[in-house]
């Protein structure tokens, strides 16, 4: 039986992104049930993050903004934005992992059990042993389900395709999002690959579960026929972007990472960017624990908690509640775009998930000014509404106790270092 320091279960973007970093300091096995390096995703990011991770050759399109379109309003979120060729990203990460010495196998995870010095993992190619198991299998994670660790679960589900446009349908490429204004609160995303190809998809929020992307297939087909007649489908896009809360994010000799660990923010569905933001911090902490031999659940929970700032998590949950139910308001998605316009240039802070406590306070108040309280009460389910109103009350009390001043720009400039640097209590 083979012995490793780390077994990574799941060779999607979450697993592959960390394999090379860990393999430089540890013996790593990565298992993936599909062909390793395969994904059906579509990713937007930012040029600074792309450069930081050496992914420049995977950039398929670059723009200076994201465009949000509503029935009567629009918002251009200014940033150095990029669309990535997801297949090229996966090739880069797979190459780096194998070059660093990671063993990459096409094998299906079956089960695991604790042993004295770690874990024994059963796979379709036989059992292996390791000091640590990293669950990067996405959702639903069989391990999280086995231990009943999922406390709250939501998801964005998407269905679409990379399409090649006929000459008569080509227009100025733009990264954009807009609502279909249907009863299910569905949206359209458009990620250009240049002048003649785009990733086009329909997506919707699913509250209380992971949803089923194939339910959107007919909606996408109607969109394609109506908006891009004559387009050719190049490759499918199918995915689920989960968010939520686990009761624990680690057990003895086991830690969750990526979608398995609910790393995706509730409000914006940018889980790929959270992998880029948090991956190196995660790997450095894991190597530290491997070297110290501290792979108990308490120590590993500290690593998982360090990936999250609870204020940012709470705020993204507020935005998630509004995003899933804006369609029930009288002006539909206009309320969300009105809030983005109220934030102005600072809207990019939300999309990047780089928020300070001061920014969160002011953005919360601006959200509730953009969408009146009566509208919030009508359109948000009771279980989410109680949380949203509780956060608003907390910030309102804090505002009363603070001295006057502190507009959004000063808060963003002065407090931004707060988020992501304060240690968080381990999740119990």
């Amino acid at each position: 039986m083979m012995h490793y320091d780390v077994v990574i279960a799941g060779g999607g973007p979450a697993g592959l992104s960390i394999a090379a970093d860990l393999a430089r300091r540890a013996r790593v096995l990565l298992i993936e049930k599909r062909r390793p390096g395969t994904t059906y995703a579509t990713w937007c990011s930012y040029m600074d993050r792309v450069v930081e991770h050496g992914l420049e050759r995977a950039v398929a399109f670059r723009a200076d903004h994201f465009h949000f379109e509503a029935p009567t309003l629009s918002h251009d979120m200014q940033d150095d934005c990029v669309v990535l060729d997801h297949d090229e990203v996966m090739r880069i990460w797979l190459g780096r992992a194998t070059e660093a010495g990671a063993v990459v196998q096409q094998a299906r995870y079956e089960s695991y059990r604790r042993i004295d010095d770690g874990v024994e993992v059963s796979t379709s190619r036989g059992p292996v042993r390791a000091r640590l198991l990293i669950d990067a299998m996405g959702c639903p994670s069989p391990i999280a389900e086995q231990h009943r660790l999922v406390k709250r679960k939501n998801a964005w589900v998407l269905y679409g395709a990379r399409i090649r446009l006929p000459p008569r349908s080509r227009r100025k490429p733009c990264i954009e999002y807009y609502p279909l204004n249907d009863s299910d609160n569905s949206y359209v995303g458009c990620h250009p690959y240049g002048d003649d190809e785009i990733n086009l998809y329909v997506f919707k929020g699913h509250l209380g579960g992971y949803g089923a992307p194939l339910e959107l297939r007919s909606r996408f087909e109607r969109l394609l026929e109506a908006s891009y007649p004559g387009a050719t489908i190049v490759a499918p896009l199918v995915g689920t972007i989960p968010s939520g809360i686990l009761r624990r994010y680690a057990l003895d000799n086991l830690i969750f990472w990526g979608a398995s660990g609910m790393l995706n923010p509730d409000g914006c569905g940018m889980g790929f960017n959270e992998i880029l933001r948090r991956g190196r911090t995660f790997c450095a902490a894991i190597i530290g624990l491997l070297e110290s031999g501290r792979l108990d659940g308490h120590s590993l929970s500290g690593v998982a908690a360090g990936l999250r700032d609870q204020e940012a998590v709470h705020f993204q949950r507020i935005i998630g509640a509004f995003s899933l139910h804006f369609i029930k308001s009288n002006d539909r998605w206009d309320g969300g775009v009105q809030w983005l316009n109220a934030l102005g240039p600072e809207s990019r802070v939300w999309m990047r998930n780089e928020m300070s406590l001061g920014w969160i306070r002011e953005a919360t108040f601006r959200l509730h000014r953009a969408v009146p309280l009566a509208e919030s009460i009508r359109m948000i389910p009771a279980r989410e509404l109680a949380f949203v109103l509780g956060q608003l009350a907390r910030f309102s009390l804090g505002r009363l106790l603070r001295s006057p001043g502190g507009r959004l720009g000063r808060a963003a400039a002065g407090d931004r270092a707060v988020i992501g640097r304060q240690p968080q209590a381990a999740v119990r």
Side-chain angles (χ1 to χ4, degrees), residues 18 42 82 91-92 149 198 247 269 306 318 369 388 420 423 428:
I18 61 171
T42 176
V82 295
R91 282 191 290 268
I92 291 171
L149 297 178
I198 60 173
R247 291 183 171 84
I318 292 172
R369 285 198 293 270
V388 170
R428 298 291 182 182

Side-chain angles (χ1 to χ4, degrees), residues 24-234:
R24 293 187 183 99
R25 303 280 295 276
R27 295 166 298 164
V28 172
L29 169 67
L30 182 146
I31 58 173
E32 165 57 40
K33 63 182 179 181
R34 296 190 296 261
R35 180 172 56 85
T38 302
T39 184
Y40 298 104
T42 176
W43 297 323
C44 277
S45 190
Y46 310 95
M47 199 63 197
D48 58 315
R49 293 182 184 170
V50 166
V51 171
E52 179 185 356
H53 289 271
L55 299 174
E56 293 94 329
R57 81 168 188 256
V59 173
F61 179 76
R62 188 172 180 179
D64 61 4
H65 70 280
F66 293 123
H67 180 71
F68 294 83
E69 188 69 33
T72 67
L73 298 172
S74 64
H75 178 77
D76 287 337
M77 185 177 290
Q78 302 295 326
D79 212 327
D80 193 352
C81 313
V82 295
V83 175
L84 292 164
D85 181 335
H86 48 269
D87 292 325
E88 183 64 17
V89 171
M90 297 294 277
R91 282 191 290 268
I92 291 171
W93 281 342
L94 180 59
R96 289 175 182 172
T98 55
E99 289 169 9
V103 177
V104 179
Q105 290 182 353
Q106 184 170 359
R108 185 179 64 255
Y109 166 87
E110 294 179 345
S111 64
Y112 89 101
R113 67 182 182 92
R114 289 277 325 287
I115 56 177
D116 289 341
D117 57 348
V119 292
E120 183 175 299
V121 182
S122 296
T123 80
S124 57
R125 295 180 60 164
V128 295
R129 290 188 173 183
R131 299 171 62 198
L132 175 68
L133 171 61
I134 298 177
D135 180 349
M137 289 183 283
C139 73
S141 159
I143 298 176
E145 296 284 333
Q146 171 191 344
H147 293 286
R148 299 184 178 181
L149 297 178
V150 180
K151 184 176 181 181
R152 183 176 63 85
K153 56 185 176 183
N154 300 318
W156 292 102
V157 293
L158 67 89
Y159 186 94
R162 182 185 300 183
I163 61 174
R164 182 170 298 115
L165 304 174
R168 65 181 181 278
S169 298
R170 294 174 189 172
R171 57 189 182 186
K172 184 178 179 181
C174 176
I175 305 172
E176 61 181 338
Y177 307 93
Y178 57 90
L180 283 177
N181 294 323
D182 59 9
S183 60
D184 285 339
N185 195 12
S186 304
Y187 305 87
V188 176
C190 180
H191 295 172
Y193 265 61
D195 294 331
D196 61 346
E197 287 191 1
I198 60 173
N199 277 355
L200 180 72
Y201 58 97
V202 175
F203 64 105
K204 61 174 285 189
H206 191 88
L207 191 64
Y210 298 125
L214 288 177
E215 292 178 0
L216 298 176
R217 179 174 180 174
S218 61
R219 210 164 309 182
F220 170 74
E221 290 172 345
R222 291 195 298 271
L223 169 71
L224 187 62
E225 182 179 357
S227 300
Y228 298 93
T232 303
I233 292 179
V234 177

Side-chain angles (χ1 to χ4, degrees), residues 20 148 228 238 261 286 355:
R148 299 184 178 181
Y228 298 93
V238 183
I286 292 298
M355 299 171 288

